[in-house]
Amino acid sequence: MLKLTGSVPPTLFLRPNTSFFIGIKIVNKHHLSQRNLFYYSPMSKHNGPEQTFGFLTQKPYSPPSWAQHLHPIPSHVFSLAHVPTPIHRWNLPNLPKNVELWIKRDDLSGMQLSGNKVRKLEFLMAEAVAQGADCIITIGGIQSNHCRATAVAAKYLNLDCYLILRTSKILVDNDPGLTGNLLVERLVGAHVDLVSKEEYANTGSEVLTNLLKERLIREGKRPYVIPVGGSNSLGTWGYIEAVREIEEQLHAKGLGYAMNTIKELEFVKEIAAATGIVLDPVYSGKAAFRLLKDMNDNPAMWEGRKVLFIHTGGLLGLYEKTEQITPMMANWRRMDIAESVPRKDGVGKMF
């Protein structure tokens, strides 16, 4: 856990190498208000509204002042996301007394619903291009949001993309279909290599990506490998930038990874119905579930506080949970049209 203090008005906590949660503790509640949370310049980045980052451009990178002691510092960054992502009030039901809950919509970062995954890719893709790569390799589960984001980013930069996707032993020899993230990946032309969960566990992601890398090199290609989730020291700079973005906007675990209890999925469904915001089941859904549970279990600790929750995206990951979610959906029926209702010829016909 990296604690960032000093010139940053609130105390910020950043967990490197993961996209699960960035927590923010507001030291002075007056720093957080509707007026100073919104940062209106849609293309501004880094040093205020006068600095602009053109979309799909590569620029030299300068870290925030409070991160300049970290090494190595990336030399360049690609602008792939639509940032700053908005922050707005989130009126969840049954909040403790006087709690103001805000949500940062990293699910709206662009790149075909890529969520916060695009933040890491801004740095990873910059290194790939700097090294002269002509294709990208990455690896993940069959409905990996990171793999889909990588496929889209590669296409934006005119790079080929090769995905190693983990699936069941029963399905590994079959066409993976066009459901959820697979639809986007295959539409943008990504090459898909399937491995079984057993092969993945026995061989390991690093060996698998190296095998594919060696094959592509023999074919005359120049591949760049991105690890699972884009989670390495370089990708972590995406979250340092996210903290800088939040600072500017302020100026002043369940069953396991990608596994959900029925209560968590019911929570995702209830929140969507209550607020119109759809959470993903892997990261944001679990984080919000535990946040609200802690608020209900310890209301006195939360009373009067202002809280910022970061929605990291991942909407298409819900496709993998459709069998579990379907029984929760009762909001449909066959329309009852009585025989006595008069009919009119030519009205409502299908041609």
Side-chain angles (χ1 to χ4, degrees), residues 43 45 53-59 77-83 118 122 156-157:
M43 290 302 291
K45 202 165 184 179
F53 237 47
F55 186 57
L56 293 184
T57 59
Q58 187 181 34
K59 296 287 182 67
V77 62
F78 251 111
S79 179
L80 299 174
H82 299 312
V83 292
V118 66
E122 290 193 319
Y156 276 9
L157 301 178

Side-chain angles (χ1 to χ4, degrees), residues 12 22 26 28 117 128 152 157 161 166 171 204 223-224 258 265-266 275 289 314 323-324 327 339 341:
L12 304 172
I22 299 177
I26 304 300
N28 182 341
K117 306 298 184 184
V152 174
L157 301 178
C161 184
R166 181 184 66 247
L171 300 175
Y224 176 88
L265 292 176
E266 287 176 344
T275 70
F289 179 80
E323 288 187 11
Q324 294 169 272
E339 287 295 324
V341 174

Side-chain angles (χ1 to χ4, degrees), residues 8-315:
V8 185
T11 302
L12 304 172
F13 297 90
L14 173 64
R15 186 184 301 278
N17 296 337
T18 180
S19 54
F20 180 68
F21 185 73
I22 299 177
I24 300 166
K25 177 182 177 184
I26 304 300
V27 175
N28 182 341
K29 66 180 182 180
H30 298 296
H31 284 143
L32 195 62
S33 68
Q34 186 169 0
R35 180 179 177 183
N36 58 30
L37 267 169
F38 287 89
Y39 195 67
Y40 287 101
S41 180
M43 290 302 291
S44 66
K45 202 165 184 179
H46 304 315
N47 297 318
E50 298 304 318
Q51 297 287 330
T52 61
F53 237 47
F55 186 57
L56 293 184
T57 59
Q58 187 181 34
K59 296 287 182 67
Y61 178 67
S62 177
S65 59
W66 39 262
Q68 290 179 356
H69 65 286
L70 300 176
H71 295 284
I73 294 174
S75 60
H76 287 79
V77 62
F78 251 111
S79 179
L80 299 174
H82 299 312
V83 292
T85 53
I87 294 175
H88 62 78
R89 288 289 292 271
W90 194 19
N91 297 316
L92 283 181
N94 304 316
L95 291 177
K97 185 178 180 181
N98 296 325
V99 167
E100 286 187 17
L101 182 59
W102 300 76
I103 184 169
K104 181 165 175 60
R105 302 295 303 276
D106 259 16
D107 58 318
L108 303 179
S109 64
M111 276 220 332
Q112 280 38 270
L113 303 176
S114 291
N116 71 330
K117 306 298 184 184
V118 66
R119 293 189 181 275
K120 296 187 245 185
L121 291 169
E122 290 193 319
F123 290 90
L124 294 164
M125 288 297 185
E127 183 175 78
V129 170
Q131 292 182 3
D134 60 9
C135 58
I136 304 294
I137 298 172
T138 196
I139 187 169
I142 193 69
Q143 285 294 340
S144 166
N145 292 307
H146 159 72
C147 287
R148 182 247 305 156
T150 302
V152 174
K155 184 55 63 175
Y156 276 9
L157 301 178
N158 200 29
L159 302 173
D160 287 334
C161 184
Y162 292 82
L163 304 177
I164 302 174
L165 301 181
R166 181 184 66 247
T167 188
S168 69
K169 185 186 293 185
I170 298 173
L171 300 175
V172 73
D173 294 314
N174 301 325
D175 188 303
L178 297 173
T179 301
N181 288 311
L182 282 163
L183 174 62
V184 178
E185 291 160 356
R186 300 182 74 182
L187 277 175
V188 299
H191 305 270
V192 175
D193 282 279
L194 298 179
V195 296
S196 69
K197 294 177 181 178
E198 292 77 11
E199 290 169 330
Y200 186 97
N202 293 332
T203 309
S205 63
E206 187 173 347
V207 172
L208 288 170
T209 53
N210 281 337
L211 285 173
L212 180 54
K213 177 182 178 180
E214 291 168 3
R215 191 193 87 194
L216 294 175
I217 290 173
R218 289 195 298 270
E219 294 174 2
K221 294 182 170 60
R222 301 185 303 277
Y224 176 88
V225 176
I226 295 177
V228 176
S231 295
N232 58 13
S233 59
L234 181 59
T236 298
W237 282 91
Y239 299 112
I240 292 175
E241 279 304 298
V243 172
R244 167 157 41 192
E245 185 175 302
I246 292 168
E247 178 190 4
E248 290 177 346
Q249 288 177 296
L250 293 175
H251 212 77
K253 147 158 176 176
L255 295 179
Y257 179 82
M259 299 173 66
N260 299 92
T261 64
I262 292 299
K263 284 188 176 180
E264 287 171 344
L265 292 176
E266 287 176 344
F267 175 81
V268 169
K269 182 253 183 186
E270 290 167 4
I271 294 306
T275 70
I277 293 177
V278 181
L279 301 171
D280 83 291
V282 178
Y283 298 115
S284 298
K286 288 190 174 190
F289 179 80
R290 292 299 169 185
L291 173 66
L292 206 59
K293 184 179 186 303
D294 193 66
M295 285 182 169
N296 290 327
D297 292 345
N298 307 288
M301 187 182 79
W302 292 93
E303 284 185 7
R305 295 179 67 181
K306 296 185 179 183
V307 181
L308 176 62
F309 179 89
I310 301 181
H311 186 342
T312 57
L315 172 66

